[in-house]
Amino acid sequence: MGEPLLAVRDLAVDYVTARGPVRAVDSVSFEVGAGEIVGLAGESGCGKSTLAQAILRILPPPAVISGGQVWLGSTNLLSLSEEELRQVRWRRLAMVFQSAMDALNPVITIGEQIVDTLRAHTAVDEAQGRARAALLLERVGIGPSHLDSYAHQLSGGMRQRVGIALALALEPALVILDEPTTALDVIVEREILEQIRALQRRLGFSVLFITHDLGRMLQFSDRIAVFYAARLVEIGPVGPVGQQPAHPYTRALLRAFPSLHGEPSGRESIGGSPPSLQQPPTGCRFHPRCPLASPRCRSERPELRVVAPDHAVACFATA
Ligand SMILES: Nc1ncnc2c1ncn2[C@@H]1O[C@H](COP(=O)(O)OP(=O)(O)OP(=O)(O)O)[C@@H](O)[C@H]1O
Ligand SMILES: [Mg+2]
């Protein structure tokens, strides 16, 4: 893979609550290569958004980053001042949220928002900014007449497209997509993901892609990282992880989704529910739901271990 673009090392994030800290990201390490798409999978509440927000350092309180490093190239984002971070956000690293409404300002037009972002980071005047904003909108399939629209005048799908145009405005090296199409219908979702894919091929940025939809993730990603209860349990190239998942949780997660070819008959839900992060299970956190659990799994914590080229799994039961 060469030098990674993003390298997350031993990252830990806690939500500080009255009942004590809740660790929502627990010693997580992984990398994203230049031009690579890495999918992040896992059930609701396992810490995916917390991880994404920690990378961008936009975590709202009561969350605190308790340890680790986040390297973007040769810069550790966790050691930057707020001012230094402002130089990095949008320009080198941008995020598209589940609801673009959260990122768009309701009281100014779409055009003004894009122009503001451009002018905050580059030396363009108003006219140049507006011309560039029109090009950016065109890139995501929106006509220039919408420069003067307000976010609430657009459909959900168009708002997400504006969010993508905005994220790509300064040609960042890495774009984090946190469930960018979850609120949309299937056809609009597919169109938007295909558009992101086409732009990614053309512009060469890297993507960290978070979704509940494992089928989409398998279609879209080069590598897959699987999260369970704040920890990374498996990471590897999309082929092996999709076809020969090594972790029992990945296998269960894949079985719980309709196959890519669309026959939902084999669909099985994962028994039980994800553990509370307030008091996670001892040893391997998946052991209460795991068909392969042994006494060792209940007492000892498995670390990620390489099982095949570029493919690592945290499980004692996997050879
Ligand atoms: N404000 C908070 N106070 C305490 N704990 C919190 C708070 N926000 C989140 N958490 C904890 O962090 C965990 C991870 O939340 P996060 O939103 O990162 O999960 P997620 O994987 O993105 O879920 P989803 O798939 O539903 O978006 C939650 O299970 C919860 O225990
Ligand atoms: Mg989330």
Side-chain angles (χ1 to χ4, degrees):
M1 187 166 76
E3 192 71 351
L5 175 73
L6 176 78
V8 174
R9 301 273 179 247
D10 283 326
L11 187 65
V13 181
D14 290 304
Y15 287 92
V16 180
T17 73
R19 291 179 18 210
V22 174
R23 181 145 294 189
V25 173
D26 190 12
S27 10
V28 168
S29 299
F30 68 99
E31 296 174 351
V32 180
E36 191 183 32
I37 301 183
V38 175
L40 192 60
E43 284 164 294
S44 189
C46 68
K48 304 181 298 294
S49 296
T50 305
L51 172 66
Q53 290 169 323
I55 292 170
L56 268 115
R57 277 182 55 192
I58 53 168
L59 276 167
V64 292
I65 296 176
S66 319
Q69 296 143 24
V70 176
W71 294 92
L72 188 65
S74 56
T75 310
N76 179 8
L77 299 182
L78 303 191
S79 66
L80 298 184
S81 67
E82 270 304 318
E83 180 49 38
E84 290 167 325
L85 258 183
R86 253 193 297 281
Q87 302 300 314
V88 172
R89 286 196 201 115
W90 296 110
R91 201 199 281 275
R92 298 189 59 206
L93 178 61
M95 181 147 167
V96 180
F97 298 88
Q98 177 168 344
S99 164
M101 223 40 197
D102 298 339
L104 298 178
N105 184 336
V107 300
I108 60 175
T109 64
I110 299 301
E112 284 171 305
Q113 291 186 55
I114 302 178
V115 172
D116 283 356
T117 302
L118 290 170
R119 296 196 68 185
H121 294 275
T122 57
V124 291
D125 64 24
E126 184 68 32
Q128 289 165 329
R130 213 174 141 82
R132 172 105 177 111
L135 277 177
L136 287 166
L137 286 184
E138 190 190 311
R139 233 187 215 176
V140 294
I142 296 180
S145 63
H146 285 294
L147 280 172
D148 299 315
S149 300
Y150 290 86
H152 68 86
Q153 295 173 312
L154 304 179
S155 67
M158 281 175 83
R159 284 203 291 265
Q160 284 309 93
R161 289 175 199 270
V162 172
I164 293 161
L166 206 51
L168 296 179
L170 298 165
E171 317 227 320
L174 176 68
V175 180
I176 300 179
L177 304 169
D178 190 2
E179 313 220 19
T181 56
T182 305
L184 308 174
D185 72 60
V186 187
I187 294 170
V188 177
E189 176 186 27
R190 177 178 307 168
E191 276 174 17
I192 291 183
L193 290 179
E194 279 169 5
Q195 199 156 49
I196 294 172
R197 187 81 170 132
L199 288 167
Q200 189 270 340
R201 288 208 179 99
R202 184 148 67 87
L203 303 171
F205 51 87
S206 306
V207 179
L208 182 62
F209 177 49
I210 300 171
T211 176
H212 276 112
D213 187 335
L214 214 58
R216 289 261 179 276
M217 183 169 289
L218 291 169
Q219 285 176 318
F220 197 74
S221 309
D222 299 310
R223 282 193 303 139
I224 307 278
V226 182
F227 241 58
Y228 188 77
R231 292 179 62 84
L232 203 54
V233 297
E234 179 161 6
I235 182 163
V238 66
V241 174
Q243 280 143 38
Q244 288 134 12
H247 198 285
Y249 176 63
T250 313
R251 286 201 283 274
L253 202 57
L254 283 163
R255 272 199 305 271
F257 278 84
S259 84
L260 282 186
H261 313 291
E263 71 273 12
S265 53
R267 197 165 174 158
E268 284 171 42
S269 71
I270 309 173
S273 49
S276 148
L277 295 178
Q278 200 105 36
Q279 277 185 312
T282 55
C284 171
R285 291 178 175 182
F286 188 57
H287 87 252
R289 302 168 81 186
C290 183
L292 305 177
S294 67
R296 185 183 185 196
C297 306
R298 286 186 268 279
S299 60
E300 205 180 315
R301 187 165 96 171
E303 299 298 334
L304 278 177
R305 187 166 56 79
V306 174
V307 292
D310 201 27
H311 188 174
V313 60
C315 176
F316 295 125
T318 304

